[in-house]
Amino acid sequence: MSRQPSRRALLRAERRGLSRMTPFQREVFLALRVETVTYADLARLHGVGVGEIEAAFTQALLILMRLVREGEPWWRRLWPW
């Protein structure tokens, strides 16, 4: 049986994930998920194709998924903050 990560653990993984993304991946991810900009608008803004935006967004999601799947290191349980 797998345990679901806590909200705090997910937020830490999100912060780590954002720091591991390239600036372009981070900008694409935040624009699509927070600002709800369309793929086409974002592609036009950056002067690239929609496929490049899709690829950057996919890579950003993969970074976040890996961090959430990894779970927290054992020593994190010793420090609750």
Side-chain angles (χ1 to χ4, degrees):
M1 180 163 81
S2 66
R3 272 185 64 211
Q4 291 292 331
S6 70
R7 181 169 171 77
R8 182 178 289 183
L10 287 173
L11 289 173
R12 273 196 294 263
E14 181 181 349
R15 266 185 262 131
R16 282 193 333 254
L18 287 171
S19 70
R20 291 182 186 183
M21 292 177 196
T22 66
F24 183 65
Q25 289 169 340
R26 187 172 31 256
E27 187 174 339
V28 166
F29 177 78
L30 292 174
L32 290 171
R33 284 297 170 229
V34 176
E35 300 170 19
T36 62
V37 177
T38 66
Y39 285 85
D41 289 342
L42 203 52
R44 207 172 311 111
L45 177 70
H46 288 285
V48 297
V50 173
E52 215 171 316
I53 298 296
E54 290 172 345
F57 184 63
T58 300
Q59 290 302 313
L61 286 177
L62 287 172
I63 290 169
L64 290 173
M65 284 175 32
R66 280 188 212 115
L67 287 172
V68 169
R69 195 175 320 146
E70 278 177 12
E72 292 195 301
W74 64 269
W75 53 265
R76 180 75 73 185
R77 291 186 296 264
L78 301 176
W79 290 281
W81 54 88

